[in-house]
Amino acid sequence: MTMAEENGSQTPEAAAQQTPALPKMQVLGQFVRDLSFENIAAQKAVKGNVQPEIQVQVGVEARKRPTENQYDVVVKLKIDSKNKEGGEQIFLIELDYAGIFLIENVNEQQMHPFLHIECPRMLFPFIRRIVADLSHDGGFPPLNLDNMDFVQIYRNQLARAAQAKPHADA
């Protein structure tokens, strides 16, 4: 028996073995999977006082890749800008932005929320820049997206999925 065992304390090696490993996430790659920008105002020659009203729809998809501990996560954005007066569409942006992630030390029960919350958080700054550049290059002031609450987006997706399931007793 070692002196540490006699005193009831653990060696640093034994403590390290009992401490669960911290989650590890690494972005292996990221890319625009699909992108569409429509400048409807220019196509339809919208005139007058244009005051945009922006609506943003966000979805997140995730799937396991064939390689161990690797996952694809896609953030899907649909940004619709309509004129407050009259409701004419000004522009429409649709963006699917994907990331390839290496994720280790996350248990199976926590993997789904991790993929739908933490991974999109890592991708969001790049998405924001693309949207700002795209709207500016399309002839409008840069659209700087507000921070997104991916926890709430995840909860909303779960609620929609629960509502979409057919009731077993119906």
Side-chain angles (χ1 to χ4, degrees), residues 42-63:
Q43 293 173 24
K44 294 186 176 182
V46 174
K47 296 179 183 174
N49 188 16
V50 177
Q51 294 185 344
E53 187 171 81
I54 307 291
Q55 292 181 340
V56 180
Q57 296 175 6
V58 183
V60 178
E61 295 177 357
R63 70 175 180 85

Side-chain angles (χ1 to χ4, degrees), residues 64-117:
K64 174 85 176 84
R65 293 176 62 92
T67 307
E68 186 177 357
N69 297 327
Q70 288 188 14
Y71 298 85
D72 289 326
V73 176
V74 180
V75 178
K76 295 175 161 256
L77 273 163
K78 181 177 180 182
I79 302 169
D80 196 2
S81 176
K82 294 184 179 179
N83 194 357
K84 287 182 182 178
E85 295 178 16
E88 302 99 356
Q89 198 166 30
I90 301 169
F91 67 83
L92 177 67
I93 298 173
E94 293 176 320
L95 171 63
D96 291 0
Y97 194 76
I100 302 169
F101 292 87
L102 173 67
I103 300 173
E104 297 173 332
N105 305 325
V106 175
N107 68 38
E108 215 41 54
Q109 296 83 9
Q110 294 175 331
M111 186 59 77
H112 194 264
F114 192 89
L115 291 170
H116 287 80
I117 297 169

